[in-house]
Structure formats: C-alpha cells, structure tokens
Amino acid sequence: QLTKNTMLQKCWVWPSTVVDFVKDRLNGYSLNVCAGNNPLCSVNLDLDPQDRSIIKGDMRALPFKSNSFETVVSDPPWKIGYYERFRPFFECVRVCKVGGIIIYNAYWIPMTPSGDAELLETWVRQDNNFSNSSIISVFKKVADNPEYNSKIEKELYEASGRKGPKVSM
C-alpha cells in the first residue's frame, strides 16, 4: 500500500515516438496501467487520474478479472523500491489473456519466475541527448497461473468489504 510518505508527481506525456510504438502493438481490448496523461487503450487506469476518462485504481491490485485484456500496457513509477516492482508486473500478466501482449516501460526488465510470460523484444528509449533512458519490454503471456489468480481475486473480494460466500469475479 502507499504510505503517508509517498508523493505522487505530476504525470508527463510520452513523446509521439513512444505513443506510436505502443499504438502499433495494441491489439484488441486493451488496458493502460499507470496511464498518466497517456490514455491510449480501451481502458485507462491511474492511481491519481488527472483526466475524467481515466479510472482510478492501484497497479498492485488491478480491479479486473484475470484474463480480461488482449494487450496490457504499463509505465510504472520509477521511484519504487526493488521489492515493490514485482506485484505490479504480475498483475499486468494476470489480467492479460493467454496469447496476449504486455508492453512494460521501466528502467528494469521484469520477469515471471513461474514462466507465465515470455520476453519477445526489448527496446531502449532515450528522449534526448544525455537524458535518462528506459527499456520497453514486450512480453507474450504464454500460460495462466490459477493459483496466483485465485489468491489475488480473493484479496480483491475481501478488500471490497462484501459479506457472505465468495462469488466468481
């Protein structure tokens, strides 16, 4: 969870080269996690949306059923600790359909130790000379992880405050 010391910064917009790169790889029903001011997908989500078309949500507990999207895009905050990086990527994989694509922009290359996603390509981007660079990693979801999916869906159900027997999400 975010702590009271967490500071959200104003969102920035990707340059047109990155927007075009991502748009060229979008396929079908798509989700943009940490959308900022880049509402490129069918569904766009951000913790602190500045645009009414972007829904509010947490990258660590995506409010969607497993296997919901053909393409998932994410540009997570870069100032998150090493151990905070895993769950947001696992969530992107969880909500992506098997055979779907995950496009992840960060300065690290994520992975799934369980083998749920396969790295297809990596691109290094730099917006101008002597600026920071990032890696755009493109993955294909190759397998489902029912154990992880049911654990997360149970957490989401319990966090919703519902009473009574759990129903399928």
Side-chain angles (χ1 to χ4, degrees):
Q1 294 293 329
L2 291 179
T3 66
K4 60 183 171 186
N5 297 331
T6 302
M7 293 179 57
L8 298 175
Q9 297 180 358
K10 289 218 180 259
C11 303
W12 57 279
V13 176
W14 281 339
S16 62
T17 53
V18 176
V19 170
D20 293 344
F21 177 91
V22 171
K23 280 184 176 178
D24 286 347
R25 285 159 178 78
L26 291 178
N27 183 38
Y29 192 55
S30 59
L31 169 67
N32 188 358
V33 179
C34 304
N37 287 325
N38 297 299
L40 303 172
C41 295
S42 310
V43 177
N44 298 283
L45 176 136
D46 199 274
L47 186 62
D48 185 22
Q50 306 294 312
D51 177 331
R52 286 179 181 237
S53 71
I54 298 173
I55 63 172
K56 184 173 182 159
D58 190 331
M59 68 183 176
R60 294 161 299 197
L62 296 176
F64 308 105
K65 291 180 186 178
S66 300
N67 301 298
S68 294
F69 299 94
E70 280 88 19
T71 307
V72 179
V73 177
S74 186
D75 185 2
W78 290 19
K79 293 185 180 185
I80 59 175
Y82 175 78
Y83 294 104
E84 295 173 322
R85 296 178 189 170
F86 301 99
R87 175 96 177 236
F89 182 69
F90 295 165
E91 279 292 275
C92 288
V93 175
R94 178 183 68 80
V95 300
C96 188
K97 291 181 177 182
V98 174
I101 299 296
I102 299 117
I103 303 168
Y104 212 77
N105 182 52
Y107 66 88
W108 62 87
I109 300 173
M111 61 175 278
T112 56
S114 57
D116 303 350
E118 171 185 286
L119 182 62
L120 298 178
E121 54 184 326
T122 55
W123 296 83
V124 177
R125 66 170 271 265
Q126 185 178 27
D127 295 336
N128 31 41
N129 294 331
F130 296 97
S131 68
N132 291 336
S133 59
S134 72
I135 303 165
I136 300 176
S137 304
V138 180
F139 293 84
K140 180 178 183 179
K141 182 172 179 180
V142 295
D144 206 9
N145 189 335
E147 184 179 332
Y148 178 79
N149 295 353
S150 60
K151 176 186 174 214
I152 298 307
E153 288 181 358
K154 181 181 177 194
E155 279 181 25
L156 291 170
Y157 177 81
E158 290 171 355
S160 72
R162 295 189 185 132
K163 302 289 181 199
K166 180 183 178 292
V167 293
S168 253
M169 292 185 69

